[in-house]
Amino acid sequence: PAVGLPFIEKARELGVTTICAHKGLTLPGFDPVFAEPDDVGVVAPMFPDVNFVIYHSAYEIDVSEGPYDPAGQGIDRFIKAMLDHGVAPGQNVYAELGTTWRQLMTSPLQAQHAIGKLLLYFGEDRIVWGTDSIWYGTPQDQIAAFRAFSISEELQEMHGYPALTDAVKAKIFGLNSAALYGIDPDAKLCEIAED
């Protein structure tokens, strides 16, 4: 409250309506308490005019992703924070996939649960693409893997996960971020004649 709330209030005062926060993936040398997603659930309803983009979707490398568990860590803890504070899909919290997808793309079952839970609890319009390619090099393998990825019908039926269609993938790959940052993709593409 002494730092975070005044920070958000100052951002609003300056006209900043999108705040990005690193959650999950505790960095060496940093206090892990600051990477916990619990505070997002508290502030999102307090500031409905501010969008919160949560890097890594609070994913933790040492947590195995499965069906939602309210006592779980990582993505489950992020989901619980939203549920506990009434933040519904389509509201002002976005789940970003940087490093999360990179770590899970070679573990299909965990990946299906992680993406399925994010779709179910945040909605297809509130998941944004990220690669953290500054650490991993070219993101082409991540892009190719996500294009080919799907959530099995069995898991959709068992857990209520939505299908990951090409239209939903297009939103995740960039249309959601374009909407978040007020970019008209068609108009912007028309400006890039030589790309």
Side-chain angles (χ1 to χ4, degrees):
V3 176
L5 295 180
F7 173 85
I8 296 168
E9 289 166 355
K10 184 65 172 180
R12 289 169 73 209
E13 180 186 315
L14 295 171
V16 175
T17 59
T18 299
I19 295 175
C20 302
H22 175 106
K23 297 293 180 178
L25 295 175
T26 304
L27 298 170
F30 286 85
D31 187 339
V33 75
F34 297 116
E36 295 170 357
D38 305 346
D39 55 356
V40 181
V42 174
V43 298
M46 293 172 65
F47 300 96
D49 57 329
V50 175
N51 294 308
F52 296 92
V53 180
I54 306 308
Y55 288 162
H56 320 298
S57 303
Y59 172 75
E60 291 286 353
I61 289 175
D62 59 350
V63 172
S64 182
E65 291 298 334
Y68 172 64
D69 175 1
Q73 294 298 308
I75 292 172
D76 287 347
R77 188 168 179 180
F78 183 29
I79 292 167
K80 184 175 185 332
M82 299 305 103
L83 293 174
D84 285 352
H85 296 279
V87 180
Q91 287 189 283
N92 61 332
V93 178
Y94 291 73
E96 187 264 354
L97 297 179
T99 295
T100 305
W101 176 250
R102 174 79 161 74
Q103 293 297 317
L104 293 176
M105 69 183 190
T106 57
S107 300
L109 183 58
Q110 286 192 65
Q112 289 178 80
H113 282 299
I115 301 299
K117 290 185 292 190
L118 293 175
L119 286 168
L120 185 61
Y121 291 100
F122 291 89
E124 65 185 47
D125 297 324
R126 295 298 183 264
I127 303 172
V128 296
W129 185 248
T131 62
D132 277 345
S133 61
I134 189 170
W135 306 115
Y136 307 118
T138 178
Q140 194 57 49
D141 60 338
Q142 295 183 59
I143 294 167
F146 197 73
R147 283 187 176 146
F149 180 68
S150 63
I151 299 172
S152 73
E153 288 184 13
E154 178 184 6
L155 288 181
Q156 290 177 51
E157 290 173 16
M158 285 177 65
H159 303 291
Y161 300 152
L164 185 58
T165 64
D166 287 344
V168 172
K169 289 178 189 178
K171 288 181 174 187
I172 294 170
F173 270 131
L175 295 176
N176 290 341
S177 289
L180 175 64
Y181 293 106
I183 298 168
D184 178 345
D186 294 327
K188 191 54 72 179
L189 284 173
C190 290
E191 293 177 12
I192 309 173
E194 310 225 354
D195 188 352

